[in-house]
Amino acid sequence: MRFTERVVWSTRELAELAGTTVKAVRHYHEVGLLAEPERAANGYKRYRTSHLVRLLRIRRLSDLGLSLAEIERMAGAAEPDLEALRALDAELAATIARAERARADLAVLLEHRAPGDTLPPFGPVAERLDGRGRDFVTVLGGVFDEAAVADLGLLVAAPDTADDTDFDQLPADADEAAVESLAQRLAARVRRDHERLPWLRDPAAAARGGRRRAEEVMATAVAEIFNPAQVRALVRVQELLADESGDSAPGA
Amino acid sequence: MRFTERVVWSTRELAELAGTTVKAVRHYHEVGLLAEPERAANGYKRYRTSHLVRLLRIRRLSDLGLSLAEIERMAGAAEPDLEALRALDAELAATIARAERARADLAVLLEHRAPGDTLPPFGPVAERLDGRGRDFVTVLGGVFDEAAVADLGLLVAAPDTADDTDFDQLPADADEAAVESLAQRLAARVRRDHERLPWLRDPAAAARGGRRRAEEVMATAVAEIFNPAQVRALVRVQELLADESGDSAPGA
DNA sequence: TTGCTCCTCACGTCACGTGAGGTGGC
DNA sequence: TTGCTCCTCACGTCACGTGAGGTGGC
């Protein structure tokens, strides 16, 4: 190794030495992060060791996850900016937490071959839901918090009953007798659900955006997602349950 | 809860229900991901449940880490796109690996209060390096692979000797006797280093960009970073070591 | 009349990527 | 002469953010 030859590098050579691209180098010139070198007679840039050192440092900090603005601040500081490094560490920790959370959710979806937008608690039953059911649980996910959605997932995960199928297939013009019969059976089931999950007696209280907003959204969603007969059946279920609690409540 | 009232939402209300911003909603309109709703007489948009459902799904997929283009593809597909979900999972795994690697590096820097651009193997000795030393190890990091840099870190981590200090402080106009004396001592040390790390006998072979490129870069870096006397000392070290191996080599 | 919300351009952000059109050495 | 490298604009990408300027209901 001789130390006498002085080598200069072209933009491409410099970029390759630092494991980056020609355009990145030019970008660092533009934003003032990297000084422009002297030029050859033909206008070609002639980079030297000082530029290589600077570029390697920029790449290192960039790979760690710092923005170019943060890199500029760091380069200008005399002391190591431990605060900035700690802030970066916290950001990375948050990134990791989010990505791990997403992977856990994806694992549930992949296991059940469910669509990508399925909420994990509904992953196991995604196949059994029709279009309306999928729309409805999507709204549930927007209205309730995670714990509540997990509970709701458990409810839907119960083995499909004849009543579920009857509800799904209730024609829009079903007669009142059919609606009433279905409502009676559904009410019985909801009563059992209320035993297991008492918060269901007043679900709007468990909603994120406040009771008022939750009731409005759910009412609108039911009215727009289900057909008129299905809506009447749900109304009847509400009435049947209200009568019960109303009978035993003072001043009802 | 009454199911009779039909509610419509303004852009802001819709955005809040889906936990996003007004501008995001408008952006989804622009790119065709979300249909525009009908308007009121005054031109205000009137969103309904179908838009809320769609927006919640967009947000869900976006939060998982899909691009809007991928979301559009997913929404158009009949079957769940398990391939896309697996690809996303792999991306997330790579993101996590990178972030964890960065955090491990940051931990070393924070422990030793080293500057952010310090390579981890040099973290423990960052304080002892002067500007030239820091520039030099930055170049080393660009030339050698990780295992080699780790070895070099161990070398530099050895307790500071008087020779190190002499080299750092060697004046640019030092006389030949001083240079020769220093070179002799440094050569002795390098000999011991070669015992521990045999690849150091031909370091350019361990370089990333090929031998030719590595020798050029290192030669240029030494010539531009160190002062003339320091360079002469290093040249002498090379000569002393070459004489040794040359004596025992056939045809020297 | 004032304050608040809604609307539509239009330009900005971040870190570059991608041609477009021209020059210079072998 | 051809192929390759270098150069400088200038516009594109991605997912929105940020005013700018104007309207409408209370």
Side-chain angles (χ1 to χ4, degrees), chain A residues 1-7, chain B residues 212 215-216 219-221 223-224:
Chain A
M1 206 186 297
R2 286 160 299 139
F3 298 129
T4 48
E5 43 179 321
R6 293 236 169 184
V7 177
Chain B
R212 180 72 189 278
E215 287 181 346
E216 211 175 79
T220 306
E224 294 195 347

Side-chain angles (χ1 to χ4, degrees), chain A residues 34 67 69 80 86 91 104 113 120 132 135 153 158 183 200 212 230:
Chain A
L34 182 65
S67 71
R86 272 190 275 268
E91 255 185 66
R113 303 173 177 286
R132 294 174 179 189
D135 285 359
L200 279 178
R212 182 73 189 276
Q230 287 173 321

